[in-house]
Amino acid sequence: MTRIGYTRVSTLDQSTDRQDLGDIRIFEDKTSGKSTDRPALKEMLAYIRECDEVVVYSIDRLARNLRDLEDIIKEVNGKGASVTFLTERLTFSGSDDAMSTLMLQMMGSFAQFERSMIRKRQAEGIAAAKAKGEDSPYKGRKQSIDRKVVMKMLDAGEGMTAVARALGVSRQSIYRIKNEVTV
């Protein structure tokens, strides 16, 4: 039996440090749980073999809605492997255990409910920011790249790659800023 870990955080700047799974092979995604297009999850699902154990810190790290959770666990169990959630202290091995099925559905529903509440609070925050008037409409995350610096460097003859390296950002970001300014 091989123990395999799966960790996930929602954004690139977040850390999986709190999801300590021990010294095992870890597959890590840095993308929203609502997305089913998670490269490390797909890689892990292709990697697992019969009798393996997939270890996940908590249910909401694997899926944010009940359907995805059930589908992922079915796929793992279909390969003869089990899934263990450390926080909830639950293991699903594919046996037709009514109590395990009930627990999975309840915990999955709670994860889905939590996701819905997050989206509701986010929408309320956006509405409140917009209600403050035209002087402070909600514009999302604060810009992290100083557009004036980018344009000054480009105007001075610096190439796109040189500007991107100097600022520690992607060339794509520099192209996007240049296109925003010149449009």
Side-chain angles (χ1 to χ4, degrees), residues 22-42:
D23 190 23
I24 59 176
R25 168 92 156 90
I26 303 284
F27 292 86
E28 177 181 301
D29 272 317
K30 290 196 172 199
T31 186
S32 173
K34 70 180 179 181
S35 171
T36 55
D37 185 29
R38 293 181 267 160
L41 177 62
K42 288 178 180 179

Side-chain angles (χ1 to χ4, degrees), residues 5 27 31 50 53 62-63 91 117 122 124 141 168 173 177:
F27 292 86
T31 186
E50 190 170 352
E53 178 187 20
L62 187 60
T91 298
M117 294 305 294
Q122 183 181 33
E124 288 170 353
R141 180 171 78 87
S173 295
I177 291 168

Side-chain angles (χ1 to χ4, degrees), residues 10 27 29 35 39 51 63 69-70 76 79-80 84 89-91 95 107 139 141-142 144 147 156 160 167 169 182:
S10 299
F27 292 86
D29 272 317
S35 171
C51 295
L69 179 64
E70 289 177 323
V76 171
K79 293 183 173 209
T84 298
R89 296 186 179 148
L90 295 172
T91 298
S95 62
M107 299 307 287
K139 293 182 181 173
R141 180 171 78 87
K142 214 173 158 184
S144 59
R147 270 108 172 103
M160 297 286 193
L167 298 176
V169 297
T182 56

Side-chain angles (χ1 to χ4, degrees), residues 65-120:
N65 70 57
L66 183 56
R67 179 177 294 151
D68 289 343
L69 179 64
E70 289 177 323
D71 289 346
I72 293 167
I73 290 177
K74 259 185 210 164
E75 186 170 346
V76 171
N77 291 163
K79 293 183 173 209
S82 64
V83 180
T84 298
F85 298 102
L86 299 180
T87 302
E88 294 85 2
R89 296 186 179 148
L90 295 172
T91 298
F92 300 97
S93 59
S95 62
D96 199 16
D97 176 17
M99 184 57 82
S100 292
T101 302
L102 175 64
M103 290 303 293
L104 173 67
Q105 291 175 346
M106 283 180 25
M107 299 307 287
S109 295
F110 286 132
Q112 188 169 330
F113 172 74
E114 179 183 23
R115 172 85 182 126
S116 296
M117 294 305 294
I118 289 168
R119 286 199 337 247
K120 182 178 183 236

Side-chain angles (χ1 to χ4, degrees), residues 152-167:
K152 196 179 287 186
M153 291 175 78
L154 291 173
D155 290 343
E158 294 280 341
M160 297 286 193
T161 302
V163 174
R165 280 193 187 132
L167 298 176

Side-chain angles (χ1 to χ4, degrees), residues 135-147:
D135 291 347
S136 61
Y138 180 78
K139 293 182 181 173
R141 180 171 78 87
K142 214 173 158 184
Q143 292 180 348
S144 59
I145 306 170
D146 189 337
R147 270 108 172 103

